[in-house]
Amino acid sequence: MLHTYLGETIRFDIKYKNRTSIGLSIDGYGNIVVLAPKKTPDERVIHVLEGNWDQILNKIKEMKKRMEGPQEKVYENNESFLYLGNTYPIKIVQDIAVIQERVEFEKELLHVYIKHLDKNKIKQLLKRYYYQRCKALVEERVFHYQNNFKTKPRSIRITDSKTTWGTCDSNFQLTFNWRLAMAPLEVIDYVVVHEMCHMVHLNHDRSFWRLVGKLMPDYKEKEKWLALSSWKMTV
């Protein structure tokens, strides 16, 4: 079915079920399914759709962006980068007198201080900034949760991994992905807690997940954020 509202048209399907309320479902491709009680009038379905119109459109746009994949960065003024779960524009400050080339977060901007305009150098500076921030944030959060564990990590390292957010080996050496600096602090907390729990249970058995759930009852929401947002955590 098609419905147009406020100048936007969406396609949706209706599935009638033995239920008491109307629910909306949007899959990974942006397809909308309305789950409705049997014999629900079309007018009622439309009313629910229009009541959630902005949320539906935003979700569809997000799905389309995910399918397109990350856009290639150009490293120019006002280009947006993720930091702690929010997007901020970069401001390039090019000055031959710059003593130390660096990135600093100031006044809702990621300032890139650089001697000469060089896109590869800007990329390197941003990546180094995320490494440094991830290291500081992870160490702080490990210290925050340490009272929940008898064992202390032997070391904490930041690496560039394409497959994992963190690891804990049998020697209690913790490793974290530098891209975590782009995630909200509560998501960083989840990854930290997850790996610290491996100091108690090396495998992902029931005891492990019970411990994770005890320390962070809503950990599945954090996993969901990573699953939905990891595609845009790029430099």
Side-chain angles (χ1 to χ4, degrees):
M1 296 180 66
L2 294 175
H3 182 63
T4 300
Y5 181 63
L6 299 178
E8 296 279 355
T9 300
I10 61 171
R11 181 186 300 276
F12 65 95
D13 294 318
I14 303 178
K15 291 185 178 180
Y16 295 99
K17 303 283 186 178
N18 291 322
R19 52 185 295 141
T20 59
S21 61
I22 296 177
L24 296 175
S25 174
I26 304 177
D27 67 18
Y29 299 96
N31 299 315
I32 305 167
V33 177
V34 179
L35 304 174
K38 293 179 179 179
K39 298 182 179 181
T40 299
D42 290 347
E43 293 79 7
R44 174 60 181 159
V45 172
I46 296 301
H47 177 76
V48 171
L49 280 174
E50 293 180 352
N52 293 274
W53 201 254
D54 289 342
Q55 180 181 350
I56 292 171
L57 292 180
N58 288 336
K59 191 73 172 178
I60 292 174
K61 289 176 182 177
E62 180 72 16
M63 294 298 183
K64 287 181 178 179
K65 286 182 180 179
R66 281 187 65 196
M67 293 175 66
E68 292 171 358
Q71 300 298 305
E72 185 175 351
K73 299 293 187 180
V74 296
Y75 306 103
E76 296 179 352
N77 272 319
N78 297 315
E79 185 174 19
S80 295
F81 288 82
L82 267 177
Y83 177 56
L84 291 179
N86 296 309
T87 55
Y88 299 101
I90 61 171
K91 181 179 181 180
I92 301 171
V93 182
Q94 187 266 318
D95 189 340
I96 191 65
V98 169
I99 297 175
Q100 181 181 3
E101 295 181 312
R102 65 197 187 279
V103 174
E104 292 184 3
F105 181 67
E106 304 170 316
K107 298 179 180 179
E108 304 296 298
L109 292 170
L110 286 164
H111 290 76
V112 181
Y113 295 93
I114 193 168
K115 293 179 182 290
H116 305 284
L117 288 180
D118 182 323
K119 292 185 177 181
N120 287 330
K121 183 65 175 180
I122 293 172
K123 178 178 181 178
Q124 292 172 10
L125 290 172
L126 283 164
K127 191 171 181 179
R128 185 173 72 187
Y129 176 76
Y130 284 117
Y131 260 92
Q132 293 170 343
R133 292 305 302 142
C134 185
K135 176 77 169 175
L137 288 163
V138 163
E139 288 180 344
E140 174 189 320
R141 304 320 290 166
V142 168
F143 178 80
H144 175 78
Y145 285 101
Q146 185 59 63
N147 288 338
N148 298 286
F149 300 90
K150 294 180 180 179
T151 305
K152 292 185 178 181
R154 183 165 296 179
S155 66
I156 299 173
R157 296 188 305 130
I158 308 301
T159 62
D160 186 356
S161 173
K162 304 298 182 183
T163 58
T164 61
W165 294 112
T167 61
C168 173
D169 65 20
S170 57
N171 293 317
F172 308 136
Q173 294 175 324
L174 305 183
T175 301
F176 298 92
N177 191 322
W178 63 269
R179 294 173 181 82
L180 280 175
M182 299 183 185
L185 185 60
E186 60 267 23
V187 174
I188 298 174
D189 276 0
Y190 162 63
V191 178
V192 166
V193 166
H194 184 114
E195 300 311 327
M196 293 184 77
C197 286
H198 278 310
M199 297 190 303
V200 182
H201 306 283
L202 277 177
N203 298 317
H204 289 99
D205 56 16
R206 290 184 179 179
S207 297
F208 168 81
W209 288 113
R210 278 197 296 268
L211 181 56
V212 172
K214 178 182 178 181
L215 297 177
M216 188 166 290
D218 61 346
Y219 73 87
K220 289 187 178 180
E221 289 299 313
K222 314 308 190 275
E223 289 185 329
K224 183 178 179 180
W225 190 95
L226 287 170
L228 293 176
S229 304
S230 60
W231 64 273
K232 56 185 176 182
M233 296 167 72
T234 61
V235 170

